[in-house]
Amino acid sequence: MDAQTEKYQRFCDLHEQAGAFVIPNPWNAGSAMILQSLGYEALATTSAGLAFSLGRCDSQSEISRDDILANASEIVESCNLPVSADLENGFGDRPEDCAQTIQLAAGIGLVGGSIEDATGRSDAPIYDFQLAVERVAAAAEASRQLPFLLTARCENFLHGRRDLDDTINRLKAFEDAGADVLYAPGLPDLDAIKTLCASLTKPVNVVMGLSGPSWSVSQLADAGVKRISVGGSFARAALGGFIRAACEVREQGTFGYAREALPDAEARRYMVGAARG
């Protein structure tokens, strides 16, 4: 078994074990190495975290497929964990665009990735149902030829379409089309999460760290969730610390932030430990 297939198998096994697991979202090689050193068992990229690091906004118009894959490749090469990627909408409207993106993702060592049903257009933010299903089916067909776990995302709740029934119907269709994991970011409450999980047979991913209500890993596991990601929230937490430090120096002329900063020696241990791991 080659290394990529072994990572894929480990990733699949995480989705089959009891309870829920957290898949955090590093935004570069250094943050990936720290997360590996802290004991996480798989990682997922974040388009938002990448965008912030590049001085851009998180949108399909500002982050290209090349940007996403270059960042993912950096993360894959920095650690020995299974890595899944935020592949936006597959970087094209056509089903074949989604299939090509999956093939390119696997080609850089990724063992998983998500395709969403958001168009990136404000006038029609969500793909029509039939096209959305065809896009997932094409991505699933490509993934079956590879060691690759496909996540299908319904973006309704992030685009003002607060329709749980439609969200569940879409995810059911994505499940039937061959997706391995289902994901609907932005669900409003734990009851909605429970209802969605009970309506599907494949593992469900939810994202924590957004604004609004928050639940613990155990609460989400009890609701039926299998996988918990954090999106760009770890990156935003890091930026929050950076801004607080910069504001302290600029506004107060003091350097108290250094007391809470990661010591240089500890940072080095994380990097060396991850490299050896």
Side-chain angles (χ1 to χ4, degrees), residues 78-154:
S78 71
C79 66
N80 64 4
L81 298 179
V83 180
S84 183
D86 177 353
L87 299 174
E88 303 279 354
N89 72 341
F91 301 97
D93 294 330
R94 304 174 305 162
E96 50 265 43
D97 296 326
C98 297
Q100 183 184 45
T101 294
I102 296 299
Q103 292 163 348
L104 292 171
I108 62 165
L110 290 162
V111 296
S114 60
I115 297 291
E116 63 193 41
D117 63 358
T119 66
R121 297 187 294 274
S122 59
D123 59 327
I126 304 294
Y127 285 109
D128 289 342
F129 180 84
Q130 187 58 41
L131 178 57
V133 175
E134 291 172 359
R135 287 161 37 81
V136 171
E141 178 62 28
S143 71
R144 281 192 287 270
Q145 315 302 318
L146 302 161
F148 198 91
L149 199 74
L150 175 66
T151 298
R153 294 175 48 152
C154 176

Side-chain angles (χ1 to χ4, degrees), residues 3 9 20 31 38 62 82 85-87 115 126-127 145 155 162 165 168 194 204 211 226 231 257 266 268:
Q9 190 57 59
S31 57
L38 290 173
E62 296 201 33
D86 177 353
L87 299 174
I115 297 291
I126 304 294
Y127 285 109
Q145 315 302 318
E155 303 287 290
R162 301 177 67 82
D165 288 339
I168 290 172
K194 289 178 181 178
V204 170
S211 59
K226 178 56 62 178
Y257 73 87
E266 186 176 352
R268 290 173 180 270

Side-chain angles (χ1 to χ4, degrees), residues 58 89 92 129 163 178 189 191 207 220-221 239 272:
D58 181 22
N89 72 341
F129 180 84
D163 186 334
D189 52 51
D191 285 340
V207 59
L220 291 168
L239 288 174
V272 172

